[in-house]
Amino acid sequence: MSLDIQCEQLSDARWAELLPLLQQCQVVRLDDCGLTEARCSDISSALRVNPALTELSLRGNELGDAGVHCVLQGLQNPSCKIQKLSLQNCCLTGAGCGVLSSTLRSLPTLQELHLSDNLLGDAGLQLLCEGLLDPQCRLEKLQLEYCNLSAASCEPLASVLRAKPDFKELTVSNNDINEAGVRVLCQGLKDSPCQLEALKLESCGITSDNCRDLCSIVASKASLRELALGSNKLGDVGLAELCPGLLHPSSSLRTLWIWECGITAKGCGDLCRVLRTKESLKELSLAGNELGDEGARLLCETLLEPGCQLESLWVKSCSFTAACCSHFSSVLTQNKFLLELQISNNRLGDAGVQELCQGLGQPGSVLRVLWLGDCDVSDRSCSSLAATLLANHSLRELDLSNNCLGDAGVLQLVESVRQPGCLLEQLVYVDALGGWCGQGCPGRKAGVGKTQAHASLLASVQPVRHLLV
């Protein structure tokens, strides 16, 4: 039994209705509900008598240190079996970490702790790690994004990694731990017996000099499935240092996020050797790198090789033009593994999109999700897109947001969507100037919208299931 409420301001009457549920639900999520310290006494009392609770999420509420303290008191009873606790963006500070640290010692069942978007600072993190090091604490997953941490926090974290053989996931993204801090964390992981599954270090000030250390982690941790390094200055040099680890026989990485890392077509050459060799690699984000059409060509040639079994490729904002679309078209025709292609914010134009449609229209296409937002698409492409929606039997989601589609083009798309042979489930169009987008309707039909005229065209299509603005 779950209580899952998001983005609802809870009146006193509504709160009185919910309190009995807090005492019996296995999962309690009250995210962005305007809760403050004043409600925490009620929450604590309810949790104290709830023996079924395994997950508690209060993210996005202004509880403060005193409120968090009060909630934690409700979890400190012998019958508590909580496994997942989320206090993300709860106005917790370093001063409140002492209580949190002592609580960790009394919650041997807790496996996941989410503390992102709280200004813990290095002093707070030090206190937290003292609790994590207690033998009674068996935490496996820790999220610390946007916690105002510096390199000084990395030695305490490294000590936790060395001491916890069951540790599986660490997120430290968006903290200025920089080159020195990353080196300390990597050393802690090298010394640790833990079977790490996910390491997320996006926007942490990583440089190419750290990539040799990261290479060693990837090679030595056969359990590692996800590595997120986006928004760091790795460059082609750093990627070249990382790739030997990715190519190591013991590496079985599934997800690699290296968006906005200063990678060019030269770096694609090194990465393509990994893609050809590692069938385990399924998800890759290269968004925001200046790959250009030459990088696109190298990637597409690799995607056509049997050793590459990538399922999701994000190449948004990679400086592609229509010149690379014939290569992607061949991939869409021949590749039997790629299910998602995010190619938005590239200047493909109508000519490029029409090339893509040729590939999508072939019987062998298996792609399920295609993102073409901000690609300079106009009404001239809509006849090709409309025909593709009828010919293609694999595509389920198509995003055309922020393109120059007029009523005539929208009408062509809507006419295809209305046909029984169209299997598309979501057709998304968000206008940057304030338009709206419709997604898949009950059953499977989809809608798009931009102007009032667009909306009237939708009247002949089933009502949309979701509405995003």
Side-chain angles (χ1 to χ4, degrees), residues 38-293:
R39 298 285 194 201
C40 290
S41 178
D42 286 342
I43 296 172
S44 182
S45 297
L47 299 180
R48 193 173 288 115
V49 296
N50 183 348
L53 185 73
T54 59
E55 178 180 342
L56 174 64
S57 178
L58 298 172
R59 64 177 61 197
N61 294 292
E62 296 185 9
L63 307 184
D65 292 336
V68 169
H69 183 186
C70 189
V71 170
L72 294 176
Q73 286 180 324
L75 298 175
Q76 296 188 36
N77 65 80
S79 63
C80 181
K81 298 181 178 64
I82 190 167
Q83 298 174 13
K84 182 176 180 180
L85 175 61
S86 179
L87 296 171
Q88 179 178 336
N89 192 22
C90 284
C91 301
L92 182 67
T93 71
C97 287
V99 174
L100 182 58
S101 179
S102 63
T103 301
L104 291 173
R105 296 181 171 96
S106 62
L107 294 177
T109 60
L110 188 66
Q111 298 173 359
E112 294 186 41
L113 180 60
H114 298 227
L115 295 175
S116 297
D117 300 290
N118 289 296
L119 298 180
L120 309 184
D122 296 327
L125 194 280
Q126 175 69 52
L127 290 172
L128 179 68
C129 287
E130 290 174 8
L132 293 171
L133 285 168
D134 191 278
Q136 292 299 311
C137 177
R138 297 184 177 89
L139 200 73
E140 297 178 358
K141 299 180 180 181
L142 178 62
Q143 292 190 2
L144 295 167
E145 273 195 272
Y146 292 107
C147 283
N148 197 31
L149 307 181
S150 74
S153 288
C154 292
E155 187 54 57
L157 281 173
S159 297
V160 171
L161 293 171
R162 292 186 183 98
K164 297 295 176 181
D166 296 329
F167 207 83
K168 295 180 179 177
E169 182 177 316
L170 177 63
T171 301
V172 197
S173 299
N174 296 291
N175 289 288
D176 293 327
I177 61 175
N178 297 318
E179 185 178 311
V182 173
R183 187 172 296 117
V184 170
L185 276 183
C186 287
Q187 187 60 54
L189 283 168
K190 289 178 188 177
D191 299 338
S192 172
C194 75
Q195 300 299 302
L196 194 72
E197 296 176 358
L199 178 61
K200 301 176 184 180
L201 297 169
E202 295 177 314
S203 192
C204 280
I206 299 175
T207 70
S208 58
D209 289 340
N210 289 126
C211 288
R212 187 168 297 179
D213 295 318
L214 290 166
C215 173
S216 177
I217 298 303
V218 174
S220 62
K221 296 292 182 183
S223 56
L224 192 64
R225 297 291 180 269
E226 181 176 357
L227 180 62
L229 301 174
S231 191
N232 287 297
K233 295 179 180 179
L234 308 185
D236 295 332
V237 173
L239 183 58
E241 292 276 9
L242 181 64
C243 282
L246 299 172
L247 286 166
H248 194 277
S250 66
S251 173
S252 56
L253 201 71
R254 177 183 174 84
T255 301
L256 177 62
W257 295 91
I258 46 176
W259 52 273
E260 292 183 16
C261 283
I263 298 167
T264 69
K266 180 180 179 182
C268 279
D270 292 309
L271 188 58
C272 285
R273 285 196 291 275
V274 177
L275 291 171
R276 291 188 194 101
T277 306
K278 287 294 182 179
E279 295 181 359
S280 62
L281 191 59
K282 303 299 183 186
E283 300 178 13
L284 173 65
S285 175
L286 287 163
N289 290 294
E290 294 288 328
L291 307 183
D293 292 333

Side-chain angles (χ1 to χ4, degrees), residues 412-457:
Q412 287 179 299
L413 295 173
V414 168
E415 288 296 332
S416 286
V417 167
R418 292 167 61 188
Q419 301 303 312
C422 180
L423 300 180
L424 195 73
E425 295 173 355
Q426 294 188 4
L427 176 58
V428 182
Y429 185 72
V430 181
D431 181 13
L433 298 178
W436 59 274
C437 92
Q439 293 193 7
C441 333
R444 51 174 184 76
K445 293 299 183 183
V448 296
K450 177 184 176 184
T451 65
Q452 184 62 39
H454 287 187
S456 66
L457 291 173

